[in-house]
Amino acid sequence: MTNEYTLSRVSVPEEKLRKELSDANARLKRMGLDELSFAEAALEAEVDAPELVAVLSDSTVMISVPRADEILLEAQDVQWFVSAASGKWLDRKILRGEAVSFVFVEPQDGAAITFMAEAPGIVSAKGYFESKCDVDGRTFKCSVMVGATPVALAIATAHDYDKYFPPYHSGETYVRVDHPPNATDSQLDAVVNAYLFELASSCGMDFVPAARPAPAEWGAEDGFDAIIERGERLRPILTGPGIPDLTSLFVQALGAVDPSQRVVGFAKVIEYVAVTVVRLEGFQQIRSKLMSPHALAPDAKFMSELKSVVERQREYGEDRRALELTIRTCCDAADLRRVAPPFCTLLHKLSDEKLSSDAEKALSDFAERLSATRNQLSHAKANYTTRGTECPAADLDAFASLVRAAAQQCVRWYALSDPSLRASRQGGIAG
């Protein structure tokens, strides 16, 4: 941005403020960003130097970032604002600094959305709804910041933006946490969750931590024309017995913001289909047995074998085994491996050469990891025993994308199954 009122063209009477602005200006240059500039309307002409204007502590300073409006804040807040941007931008969720961090959150109700939409354009460096707490004798202070935050500078520096997702937009919201220098991640998480609880309980505003959209999620190739072209290739809308309940579960999972809830939600979609898969597997095995020549003159041995076939179906009454059978039956390993995170080792490393021989093993391994992760996320017991195959918290976003892809394949399989044999949500025949 070009502006004649840069730091070199203005007068800053107060020595402390002048030093702070010079330091912030140098930091911006090291970040590869434009230097500070000042809004003409907010400056006062000096009596003895009318060609210059004086910057006061409440003068409006403008910081330029790519593809977004200028960030407006008071001169007295500039040094803090720019310094806070030196933290680490992690997983598009948190700017982790030495003494101040910012957690990206998304609104879940009308009050939160209204607050975001109507917040003033000039940055409130202090934030809103400030509240303090002590953890292990150390003080944490939380507030809400809307629109431009130091995160915008960090995103611009990291080039983690594009024309669809600029470094900031006017409505995005962060929880600002001022904390001790050696605060742990677990302490920070606990404080943020407790603060969000208070916002929900006391203010009636529901926010949840989330990941800020990544540029790759909406690249240049996904412009309007490309999206319209894909929309013209929509498959026919699915209808028929059992389909309404199934697609309802899928849409509910789509609406989950937290990745752990998406995993649980899409797992429910797969579990819904599992009842039909298990039923058809049992029918097929029994039908094969009844097609034997011995069925025409059944003796004790044949009846014992038929009984064993029926009893073997009971193993699929266990959720883990039903989930495994469903994923092996409905899912395409070649397609899923494209979105499989490294956590799903066998599926992630599945090669073209071993696709035919190792696909079933990779799908079974994925099913085991999904079952363990779903159980861990669904249980609130403090003494819950893990199995060692649960998804690490850092990989939950990628894992949720994989489970979603698997759920989509299961829905397609269910829609192609015999309507007269589909199981409903209540366990009977879908109607």
Side-chain angles (χ1 to χ4, degrees), residues 211-228:
R212 191 177 191 271
E217 295 176 14
W218 186 288
E221 71 280 3
D222 284 338
F224 182 80
D225 291 340
I227 293 173
I228 291 297

Side-chain angles (χ1 to χ4, degrees), residues 182-259:
N182 57 348
T184 65
D185 291 341
S186 60
Q187 287 175 330
L188 197 60
D189 289 342
V191 169
V192 170
N193 286 333
Y195 178 67
L196 293 177
F197 170 79
E198 287 303 328
L199 282 181
S201 300
S202 302
C203 299
M205 293 197 310
D206 298 351
F207 287 100
V208 295
R212 191 177 191 271
E217 295 176 14
W218 186 288
E221 71 280 3
D222 284 338
F224 182 80
D225 291 340
I227 293 173
I228 291 297
E229 183 180 347
R230 285 206 306 273
E232 292 173 348
R233 299 196 300 269
L234 286 177
R235 292 184 174 93
I237 294 176
L238 301 178
T239 59
I243 295 293
D245 282 341
L246 183 56
T247 52
S248 173
L249 287 173
F250 189 89
V251 172
Q252 288 175 31
L254 283 179
V257 175
D258 185 80

